[in-house]
């Protein structure tokens, strides 16, 4: 009996010994695998718990680009609510300057390399962590670029056919049949209006800002109506109220992708390119989120998403190009940004004087 008990006890201990034995390690179970590692979060993205609260975005972006921005923001910062208010940069700047209780954290869009110090009074400097990847840099340190703007004409093809005309460039806009059928944005209130004025003076004169260029501008004014909003230009052409509007290539390309019945016409006389971007508002209520936004805008991830969704032309040297021609096919004329910044006020004054004269 004693021997039997000893044998039974030995048999009972075998499983315990097996449990303590070393065995080859098997694959980790899903529960043991971390949901997210630091390697999976890009270097330009801050910690999820670091960026919280509401971020208020003032922007000139159209809706497709706004949705792309919301998507990537919510992906990385689910604890931060993004609120967007869209309008022309002139209107947004006026709102910030005139409302001490403005809760704007950032302005995205409508800010360009040739602005000089125009908006510095409402902004504060910041340099994105991935600024070295950019092809364009703001030497004053205020702007974070994410976009390169090239100009175009937005044309309603049905209305153009009814008139029996062709529209391939600036010269075609002087056709008497287009009198009262052209819409443009005022350069003192809209970024697209200021960019279009630059481009007209660059390609329609013998040299930039000469009398020949301004002579063309004055002739164009007689055929055109003006608005203070870049959005009005393409919306009124889409709605059939105007045949042609002076706009941006990427905006028109995005509208066409969304089904708008318009054409994106590149100006045959030539074109200009300028980096555009965003900045943090002075005394931003949510500074941490505002800085995180600048880093995100400068990234290839955002710029590639914007290119795919709305054909935006990115400023990051590694970003892709979608549904847009290469710059070297557009007869580009280089702009003197310092000249533009120094002479913007006098050029706007001249525009307003000629507008009053022709209207």
């Amino acid at each position: 009996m004693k021997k039997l008990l000893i044998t039974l006890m030995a048999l009972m201990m075998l499983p315990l010994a097996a449990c303590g034995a070393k065995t080859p390690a098997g694959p980790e179970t899903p529960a043991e695998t971390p949901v997210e590692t630091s390697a999976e979060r890009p270097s330009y993205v801050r910690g999820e718990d670091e960026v919280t609260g509401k971020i208020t975005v003032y922007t000139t972006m159209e809706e497709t680009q706004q949705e792309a921005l919301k998507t990537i923001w919510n992906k990385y910062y689910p604890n931060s609510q993004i609120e967007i208010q869209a309008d022309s940069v002139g209107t947004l700047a006026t709102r910030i300057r005139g409302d001490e209780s403005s809760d704007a954290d950032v302005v995205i869009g409508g800010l360009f390399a040739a602005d000089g110090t125009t908006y510095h009074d409402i902004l504060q400097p910041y340099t994105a962590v991935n600024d070295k990847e950019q092809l364009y840099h703001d030497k004053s340190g205020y702007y974070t670029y994410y976009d390169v703007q090239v100009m175009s004409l937005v044309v309603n093809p049905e209305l153009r056919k009814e008139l029996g005309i062709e529209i391939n460039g600036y010269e075609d806009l002087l056709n008497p049949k287009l009198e009262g059928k052209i819409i443009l944005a005022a350069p003192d209130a809209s970024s697209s209006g200021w960019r279009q004025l630059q481009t007209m003076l660059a390609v329609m004169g013998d040299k930039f800002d000469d009398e020949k260029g301004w002579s063309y501008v004055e002739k164009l004014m007689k055929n055109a109506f003006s608005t203070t909003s870049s959005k009005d230009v393409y919306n009124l052409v889409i709605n059939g109220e105007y045949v042609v509007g002076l706009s941006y290539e990427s905006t028109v390309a995005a509208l066409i992708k969304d089904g708008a019945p318009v054409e994106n016409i590149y100006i045959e006389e030539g074109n200009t390119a300028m980096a555009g971007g965003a900045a943090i508002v002075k005394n931003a209520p949510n500074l941490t989120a505002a800085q995180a936004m600048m880093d995100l805008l400068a990234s290839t991830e955002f710029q590639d998403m914007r290119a795919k969704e709305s054909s935006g032309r990115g400023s990051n040297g590694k970003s892709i190009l979608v549904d847009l021609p290469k710059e070297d096919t557009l007869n580009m004329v280089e702009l003197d940004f310092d000249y533009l910044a120094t002479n913007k006020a006098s050029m706007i004054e001249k525009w307003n004087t000629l507008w009053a004269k022709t209207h």
Side-chain angles (χ1 to χ4, degrees):
M1 179 64 70
K2 186 176 180 180
K3 290 181 178 180
L4 179 60
L5 288 172
I6 292 172
T7 302
L8 288 173
M9 290 177 66
L11 290 170
M12 292 173 63
M13 291 178 68
L14 283 173
L16 295 174
C19 290
K22 292 183 178 180
T23 58
E28 291 183 333
T29 63
E32 295 172 322
T33 304
V35 175
E36 181 180 275
T37 67
S38 58
E40 294 172 334
R41 203 167 181 84
S43 60
Y44 52 82
V45 175
R46 302 188 181 205
E48 185 176 303
D49 295 333
E50 184 182 351
V51 181
T52 60
K54 183 180 73 171
I55 178 171
T56 302
V57 175
Y58 280 15
T59 185
T60 62
M61 285 179 169
E62 42 78 28
E63 291 182 5
T64 302
Q65 295 184 51
Q66 291 176 31
E67 290 305 312
L69 181 64
K70 288 179 184 177
T71 296
I72 195 168
W73 183 261
N74 292 332
K75 170 185 174 181
Y76 288 123
Y77 303 119
N79 299 326
S80 176
Q81 175 193 358
I82 180 170
E83 180 179 294
I84 293 179
Q85 298 182 34
D87 215 315
S88 69
V89 70
T91 299
L92 295 173
T94 299
R95 191 180 304 169
I96 294 171
R97 289 187 177 112
D99 184 4
E100 293 183 0
S101 63
S102 168
D103 60 351
D105 291 296
V106 297
V107 176
I108 302 178
L111 305 177
F112 291 97
D115 287 337
T117 61
T118 302
Y119 302 109
H120 285 188
D121 62 306
I122 59 172
L123 305 174
Q124 58 180 301
Y126 179 73
T127 301
V129 296
N130 41 4
D131 184 66
K132 290 183 179 179
E133 296 180 2
Q134 298 277 59
L135 297 175
Y136 302 83
H137 308 273
D138 178 20
K139 60 184 179 182
S140 67
Y142 280 78
Y143 293 172
T144 296
Y145 296 126
Y146 67 88
D147 181 34
V148 178
Q149 285 289 5
V150 172
M151 310 316 294
S152 73
L153 306 176
V154 53
V155 175
N156 187 308
E158 292 302 318
L159 296 180
R160 184 198 61 213
K161 289 177 184 176
E162 289 178 10
L163 294 178
I165 61 174
E166 288 190 3
I167 300 175
N168 297 308
Y170 283 142
E171 194 65 36
D172 294 330
L173 301 184
L174 302 184
N175 190 322
K177 291 184 177 181
L178 284 173
E179 184 177 355
K181 296 178 171 61
I182 299 171
I183 184 74
L184 51 80
D188 60 347
S190 161
S191 58
S192 69
W194 173 223
R195 285 285 293 116
Q196 282 283 357
L197 176 58
Q198 297 165 20
T199 307
M200 283 186 273
L201 293 177
V203 305
M204 298 305 289
D206 293 324
K207 64 178 183 178
F208 187 79
D209 196 19
D210 66 1
E211 285 306 313
K212 183 179 178 181
W214 280 106
S215 175
Y216 168 79
V217 170
E218 184 174 5
K219 293 174 184 175
L220 173 65
M221 287 177 171
K222 296 175 182 178
N223 271 4
F225 282 93
S226 175
T227 175
T228 58
S229 172
S230 299
K231 293 173 63 177
D232 286 347
V233 172
Y234 50 79
N235 283 334
L236 293 175
V237 173
I238 291 171
N239 294 339
E241 296 183 46
Y242 293 92
V243 178
V244 57
L246 283 67
S247 190
Y248 291 128
E249 61 155 5
S250 56
T251 299
V252 182
L255 291 166
I256 292 172
K257 184 173 290 189
D258 288 343
V262 294
E263 294 177 344
N264 200 11
I265 304 298
Y266 287 88
I267 304 149
E268 63 180 2
E269 291 89 355
N271 218 312
T272 62
M274 184 176 293
I280 299 175
V281 176
K282 186 178 291 185
N283 301 320
N286 195 342
L287 181 59
T288 300
Q291 293 172 341
M293 178 63 78
M294 296 300 107
D295 298 337
L296 203 57
L297 291 172
S299 70
T300 53
E301 183 176 6
F302 169 71
Q303 293 185 26
D304 286 354
M305 176 185 288
R306 179 171 169 268
K308 293 172 184 175
E309 296 296 326
S310 64
S311 299
R313 191 182 293 267
S315 60
N316 190 303
K318 301 178 181 179
S319 61
I320 61 175
L321 197 64
V322 179
D323 296 334
L324 295 178
K326 294 182 179 180
E327 288 187 31
D328 59 11
T329 67
L330 297 175
N331 190 21
M332 289 293 188
V333 176
E334 190 172 344
L335 293 170
D336 184 335
F337 296 160
D338 290 334
Y339 181 90
L340 287 169
T342 302
N343 294 279
K344 179 177 181 178
S346 61
M347 292 167 66
I348 294 296
E349 183 180 0
K350 187 164 186 175
W351 168 280
N352 289 333
T353 300
L354 288 175
W355 189 265
K357 175 183 174 182
T358 55
H359 291 77

mmCIF file of all heavy atoms in Angstrom, residues 180-204:
data_model
loop_
_atom_site.group_PDB
_atom_site.id
_atom_site.type_symbol
_atom_site.label_atom_id
_atom_site.label_comp_id
_atom_site.label_asym_id
_atom_site.label_seq_id
_atom_site.Cartn_x
_atom_site.Cartn_y
_atom_site.Cartn_z
ATOM 1 N N GLY A 180 -19.965 91.758 -69.084
ATOM 2 C CA GLY A 180 -20.902 91.475 -68.003
ATOM 3 C C GLY A 180 -21.024 90.008 -67.652
ATOM 4 O O GLY A 180 -21.852 89.636 -66.810
ATOM 5 N N LYS A 181 -20.212 89.174 -68.268
ATOM 6 C CA LYS A 181 -20.328 87.722 -68.057
ATOM 7 C C LYS A 181 -19.075 87.116 -67.412
ATOM 8 O O LYS A 181 -18.879 85.910 -67.419
ATOM 9 C CB LYS A 181 -20.617 87.024 -69.391
ATOM 10 C CG LYS A 181 -21.968 87.415 -69.997
ATOM 11 C CD LYS A 181 -22.196 86.747 -71.340
ATOM 12 C CE LYS A 181 -23.620 86.969 -71.835
ATOM 13 N NZ LYS A 181 -23.934 88.387 -72.037
ATOM 14 N N ILE A 182 -18.220 87.987 -66.852
ATOM 15 C CA ILE A 182 -16.989 87.544 -66.184
ATOM 16 C C ILE A 182 -17.059 87.944 -64.715
ATOM 17 O O ILE A 182 -17.448 89.066 -64.387
ATOM 18 C CB ILE A 182 -15.749 88.199 -66.834
ATOM 19 C CG1 ILE A 182 -15.638 87.796 -68.315
ATOM 20 C CG2 ILE A 182 -14.471 87.803 -66.080
ATOM 21 C CD1 ILE A 182 -14.573 88.569 -69.065
ATOM 22 N N ILE A 183 -16.676 87.038 -63.843
ATOM 23 C CA ILE A 183 -16.639 87.324 -62.410
ATOM 24 C C ILE A 183 -15.214 87.131 -61.890
ATOM 25 O O ILE A 183 -14.544 86.157 -62.236
ATOM 26 C CB ILE A 183 -17.642 86.422 -61.644
ATOM 27 C CG1 ILE A 183 -17.680 86.771 -60.156
ATOM 28 C CG2 ILE A 183 -17.334 84.945 -61.838
ATOM 29 C CD1 ILE A 183 -18.395 88.042 -59.844
ATOM 30 N N LEU A 184 -14.761 88.101 -61.111
ATOM 31 C CA LEU A 184 -13.436 88.011 -60.493
ATOM 32 C C LEU A 184 -13.523 88.491 -59.053
ATOM 33 O O LEU A 184 -14.490 89.145 -58.649
ATOM 34 C CB LEU A 184 -12.402 88.818 -61.287
ATOM 35 C CG LEU A 184 -12.722 90.276 -61.649
ATOM 36 C CD1 LEU A 184 -12.473 91.204 -60.465
ATOM 37 C CD2 LEU A 184 -11.878 90.716 -62.839
ATOM 38 N N ALA A 185 -12.513 88.150 -58.277
ATOM 39 C CA ALA A 185 -12.483 88.555 -56.874
ATOM 40 C C ALA A 185 -11.590 89.777 -56.711
ATOM 41 O O ALA A 185 -10.549 89.889 -57.353
ATOM 42 C CB ALA A 185 -11.980 87.410 -56.003
ATOM 43 N N ALA A 186 -11.998 90.696 -55.858
ATOM 44 C CA ALA A 186 -11.235 91.916 -55.622
ATOM 45 C C ALA A 186 -9.921 91.582 -54.911
ATOM 46 O O ALA A 186 -9.919 90.851 -53.922
ATOM 47 C CB ALA A 186 -12.046 92.885 -54.772
ATOM 48 N N PRO A 187 -8.811 92.088 -55.393
ATOM 49 C CA PRO A 187 -7.507 91.760 -54.799
ATOM 50 C C PRO A 187 -7.283 92.321 -53.405
ATOM 51 O O PRO A 187 -6.401 91.866 -52.693
ATOM 52 C CB PRO A 187 -6.508 92.356 -55.797
ATOM 53 C CG PRO A 187 -7.255 93.419 -56.502
ATOM 54 C CD PRO A 187 -8.668 92.942 -56.579
ATOM 55 N N ASP A 188 -8.087 93.300 -53.003
ATOM 56 C CA ASP A 188 -7.933 93.846 -51.652
ATOM 57 C C ASP A 188 -8.718 93.051 -50.614
ATOM 58 O O ASP A 188 -8.570 93.277 -49.409
ATOM 59 C CB ASP A 188 -8.345 95.322 -51.605
ATOM 60 C CG ASP A 188 -9.784 95.537 -52.019
ATOM 61 O OD1 ASP A 188 -10.412 94.611 -52.577
ATOM 62 O OD2 ASP A 188 -10.304 96.655 -51.781
ATOM 63 N N ALA A 189 -9.526 92.102 -51.075
ATOM 64 C CA ALA A 189 -10.359 91.329 -50.144
ATOM 65 C C ALA A 189 -10.190 89.828 -50.282
ATOM 66 O O ALA A 189 -10.626 89.076 -49.413
ATOM 67 C CB ALA A 189 -11.836 91.689 -50.359
ATOM 68 N N SER A 190 -9.555 89.398 -51.362
ATOM 69 C CA SER A 190 -9.493 87.962 -51.643
ATOM 70 C C SER A 190 -8.100 87.549 -52.088
ATOM 71 O O SER A 190 -7.442 88.242 -52.865
ATOM 72 C CB SER A 190 -10.514 87.624 -52.743
ATOM 73 O OG SER A 190 -10.214 86.399 -53.353
ATOM 74 N N SER A 191 -7.654 86.398 -51.617
ATOM 75 C CA SER A 191 -6.332 85.891 -52.001
ATOM 76 C C SER A 191 -6.295 85.531 -53.482
ATOM 77 O O SER A 191 -5.297 85.781 -54.164
ATOM 78 C CB SER A 191 -5.969 84.667 -51.163
ATOM 79 O OG SER A 191 -6.931 83.635 -51.301
ATOM 80 N N SER A 192 -7.382 84.961 -54.005
ATOM 81 C CA SER A 192 -7.384 84.601 -55.429
ATOM 82 C C SER A 192 -7.371 85.849 -56.304
ATOM 83 O O SER A 192 -6.759 85.871 -57.374
ATOM 84 C CB SER A 192 -8.603 83.731 -55.767
ATOM 85 O OG SER A 192 -9.804 84.466 -55.684
ATOM 86 N N GLY A 193 -8.033 86.910 -55.844
ATOM 87 C CA GLY A 193 -8.028 88.164 -56.593
ATOM 88 C C GLY A 193 -6.630 88.777 -56.649
ATOM 89 O O GLY A 193 -6.184 89.255 -57.695
ATOM 90 N N TRP A 194 -5.920 88.731 -55.536
ATOM 91 C CA TRP A 194 -4.560 89.260 -55.478
ATOM 92 C C TRP A 194 -3.622 88.422 -56.343
ATOM 93 O O TRP A 194 -2.795 88.942 -57.078
ATOM 94 C CB TRP A 194 -4.116 89.285 -54.025
ATOM 95 C CG TRP A 194 -2.695 89.649 -53.709
ATOM 96 C CD1 TRP A 194 -1.895 89.024 -52.791
ATOM 97 C CD2 TRP A 194 -1.901 90.712 -54.249
ATOM 98 N NE1 TRP A 194 -0.660 89.629 -52.733
ATOM 99 C CE2 TRP A 194 -0.626 90.679 -53.627
ATOM 100 C CE3 TRP A 194 -2.132 91.692 -55.211
ATOM 101 C CZ2 TRP A 194 0.403 91.558 -53.921
ATOM 102 C CZ3 TRP A 194 -1.106 92.584 -55.521
ATOM 103 C CH2 TRP A 194 0.142 92.516 -54.882
ATOM 104 N N ARG A 195 -3.790 87.102 -56.314
ATOM 105 C CA ARG A 195 -2.954 86.228 -57.130
ATOM 106 C C ARG A 195 -3.238 86.402 -58.618
ATOM 107 O O ARG A 195 -2.331 86.363 -59.454
ATOM 108 C CB ARG A 195 -3.168 84.772 -56.718
ATOM 109 C CG ARG A 195 -2.497 84.399 -55.420
ATOM 110 C CD ARG A 195 -0.980 84.249 -55.586
ATOM 111 N NE ARG A 195 -0.676 83.104 -56.435
ATOM 112 C CZ ARG A 195 -0.082 83.172 -57.613
ATOM 113 N NH1 ARG A 195 0.299 84.335 -58.112
ATOM 114 N NH2 ARG A 195 0.147 82.079 -58.327
ATOM 115 N N GLN A 196 -4.494 86.597 -58.975
ATOM 116 C CA GLN A 196 -4.825 86.799 -60.385
ATOM 117 C C GLN A 196 -4.262 88.125 -60.889
ATOM 118 O O GLN A 196 -3.765 88.205 -62.016
ATOM 119 C CB GLN A 196 -6.339 86.755 -60.597
ATOM 120 C CG GLN A 196 -6.940 85.356 -60.613
ATOM 121 C CD GLN A 196 -6.678 84.624 -61.933
ATOM 122 O OE1 GLN A 196 -6.095 85.168 -62.872
ATOM 123 N NE2 GLN A 196 -7.120 83.368 -62.009
ATOM 124 N N LEU A 197 -4.299 89.151 -60.063
ATOM 125 C CA LEU A 197 -3.723 90.440 -60.464
ATOM 126 C C LEU A 197 -2.222 90.286 -60.706
ATOM 127 O O LEU A 197 -1.686 90.784 -61.701
ATOM 128 C CB LEU A 197 -3.982 91.500 -59.393
ATOM 129 C CG LEU A 197 -3.341 92.872 -59.644
ATOM 130 C CD1 LEU A 197 -3.803 93.459 -60.976
ATOM 131 C CD2 LEU A 197 -3.642 93.832 -58.492
ATOM 132 N N GLN A 198 -1.537 89.597 -59.814
ATOM 133 C CA GLN A 198 -0.105 89.337 -60.001
ATOM 134 C C GLN A 198 0.165 88.648 -61.337
ATOM 135 O O GLN A 198 1.097 89.018 -62.070
ATOM 136 C CB GLN A 198 0.420 88.441 -58.879
ATOM 137 C CG GLN A 198 0.347 89.020 -57.489
ATOM 138 C CD GLN A 198 0.545 87.931 -56.446
ATOM 139 O OE1 GLN A 198 1.076 86.863 -56.732
ATOM 140 N NE2 GLN A 198 0.117 88.191 -55.219
ATOM 141 N N THR A 199 -0.646 87.650 -61.628
ATOM 142 C CA THR A 199 -0.423 86.845 -62.837
ATOM 143 C C THR A 199 -0.698 87.656 -64.100
ATOM 144 O O THR A 199 0.059 87.577 -65.077
ATOM 145 C CB THR A 199 -1.295 85.575 -62.801
ATOM 146 O OG1 THR A 199 -1.060 84.887 -61.562
ATOM 147 C CG2 THR A 199 -0.963 84.647 -63.955
ATOM 148 N N MET A 200 -1.756 88.448 -64.081
ATOM 149 C CA MET A 200 -2.053 89.306 -65.237
ATOM 150 C C MET A 200 -0.897 90.275 -65.502
ATOM 151 O O MET A 200 -0.468 90.451 -66.641
ATOM 152 C CB MET A 200 -3.354 90.088 -64.994
ATOM 153 C CG MET A 200 -4.612 89.259 -65.174
ATOM 154 S SD MET A 200 -6.116 90.267 -65.043
ATOM 155 C CE MET A 200 -6.397 90.245 -63.279
ATOM 156 N N LEU A 201 -0.387 90.892 -64.454
ATOM 157 C CA LEU A 201 0.701 91.854 -64.621
ATOM 158 C C LEU A 201 2.004 91.173 -65.020
ATOM 159 O O LEU A 201 2.872 91.793 -65.643
ATOM 160 C CB LEU A 201 0.896 92.640 -63.321
ATOM 161 C CG LEU A 201 -0.260 93.571 -62.928
ATOM 162 C CD1 LEU A 201 0.022 94.236 -61.586
ATOM 163 C CD2 LEU A 201 -0.515 94.628 -64.004
ATOM 164 N N ALA A 202 2.126 89.891 -64.680
ATOM 165 C CA ALA A 202 3.349 89.155 -65.013
ATOM 166 C C ALA A 202 3.373 88.693 -66.461
ATOM 167 O O ALA A 202 4.444 88.627 -67.077
ATOM 168 C CB ALA A 202 3.500 87.949 -64.088
ATOM 169 N N VAL A 203 2.192 88.355 -67.023
ATOM 170 C CA VAL A 203 2.185 87.740 -68.359
ATOM 171 C C VAL A 203 1.615 88.636 -69.455
ATOM 172 O O VAL A 203 1.791 88.339 -70.640
ATOM 173 C CB VAL A 203 1.425 86.397 -68.340
ATOM 174 C CG1 VAL A 203 1.992 85.474 -67.304
ATOM 175 C CG2 VAL A 203 -0.075 86.592 -68.143
ATOM 176 N N MET A 204 0.944 89.739 -69.091
ATOM 177 C CA MET A 204 0.309 90.578 -70.104
ATOM 178 C C MET A 204 1.077 91.869 -70.385
ATOM 179 O O MET A 204 0.671 92.653 -71.237
ATOM 180 C CB MET A 204 -1.127 90.908 -69.697
ATOM 181 C CG MET A 204 -2.019 89.690 -69.560
ATOM 182 S SD MET A 204 -2.066 88.626 -71.041
ATOM 183 C CE MET A 204 -3.012 89.673 -72.171
#
